[in-house]
Amino acid sequence: MTSELMQEKAAACAREDLTVLWRVAKKIRETGDTATLAKCNKAIAAEYAKQLIARKYNCECLLTVPQFRNAVAEQACDVSEAAWIRARAYALAGDRLFHKNELLHAADFYRDALRDDPNLLSTHVKALLLRVGHSGVAIRRTAVSLRQSLARLR
């Protein structure tokens, strides 16, 4: 009973997180500020990615893929924006799963991202490195490590 109640409260909090972001995006869209709207859409995609795979609010899964697809379709201003957000959310979810060493699931999310936006070059590279196998994963982990080391030096 307590765990069900906690799950319901967590789902409500997660929905509210997204509702706030979508409201902000709507207001930004009304101003015509496309650069800020793009940043807001990235934040929306990042929040969806977290909810698709993370254990946010100490609960299991907050959002299933069908729920995610439906929510984006309902909130986006058009099919192009919906595809853009879905692609980036899938790619970010793939990245998070890669770092959790859930490589098969990461590959699935990269595939879904590329289905929605085949122009995501970095996602193509990540998917290819996963398909190569252990050596591809090692190359990617080395690249991530180098990027983090360089960032610390700055």
Side-chain angles (χ1 to χ4, degrees), residues 2-21 47 50-63:
T2 303
S3 64
E4 286 180 32
L5 184 59
M6 290 301 294
Q7 183 72 26
E8 288 175 25
K9 285 185 176 185
C13 288
R15 280 192 306 274
E16 189 60 27
D17 290 345
L18 287 161
T19 299
V20 168
L21 288 170
E47 183 60 32
K50 286 181 206 173
Q51 292 190 23
L52 280 167
I53 59 111
R55 308 266 187 284
K56 192 173 182 181
Y57 300 115
N58 294 322
C59 290
E60 290 299 312
C61 179
L62 292 171
L63 194 63

Side-chain angles (χ1 to χ4, degrees), residues 115-136:
R115 183 189 62 231
D116 280 325
D117 187 348
N119 296 317
L120 293 175
L121 180 61
S122 63
T123 305
H124 276 288
V125 172
K126 293 169 186 176
L128 176 64
L129 288 172
L130 280 178
R131 281 194 298 273
V132 168
H134 293 297
S135 57

Side-chain angles (χ1 to χ4, degrees), residues 12-86:
C13 288
R15 280 192 306 274
E16 189 60 27
D17 290 345
L18 287 161
T19 299
V20 168
L21 288 170
W22 280 112
R23 285 182 185 158
V24 170
K26 182 179 179 184
K27 292 294 184 189
I28 294 168
R29 191 177 296 109
E30 290 170 3
T31 70
D33 185 348
T34 56
T36 303
L37 181 60
K39 290 177 183 177
C40 188
N41 284 344
K42 284 182 183 180
I44 290 169
E47 183 60 32
Y48 275 120
K50 286 181 206 173
Q51 292 190 23
L52 280 167
I53 59 111
R55 308 266 187 284
K56 192 173 182 181
Y57 300 115
N58 294 322
C59 290
E60 290 299 312
C61 179
L62 292 171
L63 194 63
T64 65
V65 172
Q67 289 170 331
F68 158 66
R69 292 183 67 78
N70 290 337
V72 173
E74 288 174 12
Q75 295 291 333
C77 70
D78 58 32
V79 294
S80 173
E81 182 181 69
W84 192 96
I85 290 170
R86 279 193 319 268

